[in-house]
Amino acid sequence: MSVLRPLDKLPGLNTATVLLVGADDALLQQLADSMLKTDCASELRVHLARSLPLPSNVNRPRVDLLVFVINLHSKYSLQSVEKSLHHVDASFFLGKACFLATGAGRENLCSVHRNTVVRLAHTYRSPVLFCDLEVEGSRAAMAQRLARMLQISAGHVPGVSAMSLLSLLRSSESPSLEDL
Amino acid sequence: MDETIAEFIRRTILKIPMSEMMTVLEAWNFLSESQLQTLNLRQRKDSLAQSVVLLCEEKCASLSDAALLDIVCTQVHRHQKIWDVYQMSKGPGEDLDLFDIEQFKSSFKKILQRALRNVTVSFRDAEENAVWIRIAWGTQYTKPNQYKPTYVVYYSHTPYAFTSSSRLKSNIPLLGQNFEIHNPTAPLQERSVGLDINTDSRIIHENAVEKDKVQRITQETFGDYPQPRLEFAQYKLETKFKSDLNGGILADREEPLRCLIKFSSPHLLEALKSLAPAGIADAPLSPLLTCIPSRGMNYFKIRDK
């Protein structure tokens, strides 16, 4: 079984590639479009996948940032991400992976609890971001945030590495998470 | 105006609830605006029915006008009837003719009238390419019974026809034969379920192969044509509790557990069809859901074998 590894390829010049993994095609496509619209000094590439492992016969650039998109309205979305996590090399979780949960605002449609995703992210020692991908403003803001994280993970921002960003993000977590 | 027609109209009006009276009469489009304005909706229904009959007499309502009123009433109360679904199948090597709705109606009527001398056939077009057909049956020696008609709703761009249950079961094969002669049209263009093709080359879809597979399975299960409009499906479960863990109170229970699951939607079958392409469920879907069109049922009872 093929496992996704972060440093098995050489980087492209000034290129940063993000892989969005999630079952909800339409949301991934919208997020990809928003990310490409952001003003970014690096050249962005967005790969969309429904699940891992990726087909092995394709020549693709190395993945700088891995984003798992979970739609809180769909249990299937969570299960799909959980299955995909088994095909990711552990070194991704040193700052090159994060979880994105969408749809928390419309609680009556949620079939996955927020805390489930928080716990999952905590297990993998990775940050979790919440937004509403169906709302234009929220999506644009999240796209900008992800583009910035992508630049850092690709090493395009001098003085800040993926690991240091991870520890910066972690210190803002509330202490009660340690009890989960 | 014939006394029987007057009586038929009177009885039809009596079946309509007062709250829907104006809607039905306006949809019928037989009485004029000025005539409708003379009606007093605050009087008792019998007197209202009498006034409507008098207005119809002024306009010399015929049997076909009365039959049309009956169709409008049934369309409003379609939920009160139980419908059987028939799916037409094409024989091997048959050409797909272009479908002309007017020609269909006239030959449908002619065929029935040739077979049974006493029969009343009326048509009314409805939304979404649906044709409502009302048939009142008579025998060789008696006039058609207007009070026990059969309704057929035929969606001309699909191979489906719905019939309301008819007491006279012997007439169903005749109806079926009628439809065989008129093959449905070629299936409509496959609607693209999914996103617009993204022209930005910086976005790459990794799982294109899987997406195509899901589309193919969905198309094989549901077909190319628009699905019949269904608003709910109900599953009654009467099964014993099954669990991987040993013991537990529920596992020891002898009687089956009872559970009712109801799916409802403005267009249930289209919603089911879009589940896998939207990434909300795996393809293929559970056969319990996909068998609804092929088995023609939407009430299921599931028991242990």
Side-chain angles (χ1 to χ4, degrees):
Chain A
M1 267 196 289
S2 55
V3 167
L4 200 63
R5 287 176 216 282
L7 298 168
D8 58 347
K9 293 192 180 124
L10 290 174
L13 190 61
N14 203 34
T15 320
T17 306
V18 61
L19 174 61
L20 303 176
V21 179
D24 210 321
D25 247 343
L27 291 182
L28 289 185
Q29 180 73 51
Q30 286 178 313
L31 180 58
D33 288 330
S34 298
M35 281 188 76
L36 290 175
K37 284 199 198 116
T38 62
D39 210 357
C40 192
S42 325
E43 263 198 50
L44 297 185
R45 292 265 181 288
V46 184
H47 285 235
L48 306 178
R50 232 186 192 190
S51 63
L52 300 175
L54 299 176
S56 51
N57 50 351
V58 176
N59 196 15
R60 65 176 67 82
R62 84 167 184 189
V63 175
D64 295 307
L65 181 66
L66 189 51
V67 182
F68 292 97
V69 181
I70 299 173
N71 186 352
L72 292 177
H73 301 174
S74 155
K75 275 209 181 92
Y76 178 73
S77 166
L78 175 67
Q79 285 165 2
S80 172
V81 163
E82 281 174 339
K83 275 189 254 179
S84 302
L85 280 166
H86 299 149
H87 301 278
V88 180
D89 184 65
S91 45
F92 254 112
F93 300 108
L94 294 171
K96 287 181 179 257
C98 74
F99 293 84
L100 176 61
T102 173
R106 288 154 69 194
E107 259 205 76
N108 57 328
L109 295 174
C110 287
S111 47
V112 176
H113 200 282
R114 301 185 58 200
N115 274 346
T116 314
V117 182
V118 170
R119 234 175 296 176
L120 182 65
H122 185 68
T123 314
Y124 285 88
R125 299 292 188 267
S126 294
V128 57
L129 308 166
F130 288 92
C131 79
D132 198 342
L133 287 179
E134 294 183 49
V135 175
E136 167 87 54
S138 178
R139 186 173 68 231
M142 181 52 62
Q144 262 193 322
R145 203 170 166 188
L146 286 176
R148 193 64 181 150
M149 283 174 69
L150 174 59
Q151 277 190 299
I152 294 171
S153 305
H156 294 187
V157 179
V160 188
S161 71
M163 275 290 284
S164 53
L165 177 64
L166 186 62
S167 33
L168 282 175
L169 288 176
R170 197 177 288 165
S171 60
S172 61
E173 280 171 15
S174 56
S176 61
L177 271 176
E178 304 303 313
D179 302 317
L180 283 175
Chain B
M1 194 170 81
D2 204 326
E3 248 194 36
T4 49
I5 301 178
E7 180 61 16
F8 178 44
I9 294 180
R10 192 186 74 86
R11 289 216 214 162
T12 313
I13 299 284
L14 286 176
K15 281 194 287 189
I16 309 172
M18 281 307 255
S19 50
E20 290 162 11
M21 189 64 70
M22 256 325 178
T23 329
V24 172
L25 289 176
E26 278 166 11
W28 185 30
N29 206 20
F30 176 71
L31 299 172
S32 66
E33 274 287 323
S34 43
Q35 279 180 310
L36 287 177
Q37 276 169 4
T38 63
L39 289 174
N40 175 11
L41 288 172
R42 269 188 270 248
Q43 60 185 319
R44 283 180 50 202
K45 223 199 257 189
D46 335 343
S47 356
L48 178 68
Q50 284 290 76
S51 339
V52 174
V53 170
L54 287 171
L55 293 175
C56 293
E57 270 184 15
E58 275 173 39
K59 278 199 121 181
C60 303
S62 64
L63 182 58
S64 42
D65 297 314
L68 215 61
L69 175 64
D70 197 15
I71 299 184
V72 176
C73 290
T74 314
Q75 283 178 319
V76 171
H77 294 130
R78 63 185 82 179
H79 302 294
Q80 289 177 356
K81 285 201 166 322
I82 299 216
W83 299 87
D84 297 316
V85 185
Y86 291 88
Q87 181 181 25
M88 291 169 276
S89 50
K90 290 193 258 290
E94 278 176 8
D95 283 330
L96 300 166
D97 301 316
L98 281 175
F99 184 78
D100 177 29
I101 188 85
E102 295 307 316
Q103 198 199 14
F104 167 74
K105 286 187 204 170
S106 73
S107 22
F108 188 92
K109 196 167 184 168
K110 274 195 209 128
I111 292 171
L112 276 183
Q113 283 173 337
R114 241 181 269 154
L116 306 163
R117 246 183 309 152
N118 281 316
V119 65
T120 316
V121 185
S122 325
F123 301 93
R124 186 166 196 264
D125 291 333
E127 78 292 326
E128 286 194 21
N129 297 308
V131 178
W132 281 66
I133 310 170
R134 176 184 181 275
I135 304 148
W137 309 94
T139 68
Q140 249 200 328
Y141 309 105
T142 62
K143 291 192 107 176
N145 182 351
Q146 301 296 338
Y147 296 97
K148 292 211 164 76
T150 303
Y151 293 93
V152 181
V153 184
Y154 174 45
Y155 289 83
S156 55
H157 286 178
T158 74
Y160 297 105
F162 297 79
T163 62
S164 72
S165 44
S166 168
R167 295 278 220 88
L168 305 158
K169 288 282 185 208
S170 54
N171 289 314
I172 299 293
L174 184 61
L175 276 180
Q177 195 186 21
N178 232 345
F179 277 99
E180 263 170 42
I181 299 171
H182 296 272
N183 286 318
T185 56
L188 291 179
Q189 292 298 334
E190 183 192 320
R191 276 187 289 147
S192 53
V193 181
L195 324 154
D196 305 319
I197 299 168
N198 183 271
T199 48
D200 195 331
S201 58
R202 293 176 290 170
I203 301 184
I204 290 132
H205 294 261
E206 292 284 349
N207 297 118
V209 169
E210 269 123 66
K211 276 216 281 201
D212 287 334
K213 187 174 132 199
V214 166
Q215 287 280 45
R216 192 180 38 86
I217 294 178
T218 307
Q219 194 189 20
E220 278 168 10
T221 321
F222 289 93
D224 281 339
Y225 37 79
Q227 301 296 307
R229 195 177 213 113
L230 192 63
E231 291 189 358
F232 60 90
Q234 192 170 292
Y235 297 84
K236 222 177 201 175
L237 292 168
E238 276 178 25
T239 55
K240 285 184 74 170
F241 185 79
K242 286 188 188 77
S243 161
D244 293 329
L245 312 160
N246 289 327
I249 306 171
L250 286 174
D252 296 335
R253 202 185 142 104
E254 275 306 313
E255 305 141 30
L257 291 169
R258 276 175 243 275
C259 169
L260 184 74
I261 300 171
K262 186 171 175 180
F263 293 91
S264 62
S265 157
H267 204 325
L268 182 64
L269 291 173
E270 279 295 330
L272 291 176
K273 183 175 176 179
S274 55
L275 278 180
I280 304 175
D282 263 325
L285 291 177
S286 156
L288 283 172
L289 294 170
T290 56
C291 71
I292 293 174
S294 55
R295 293 181 73 177
M297 330 174 357
N298 60 337
Y299 285 87
F300 295 90
K301 239 191 193 151
I302 303 168
R303 288 202 192 93
D304 288 323
K305 288 211 185 86

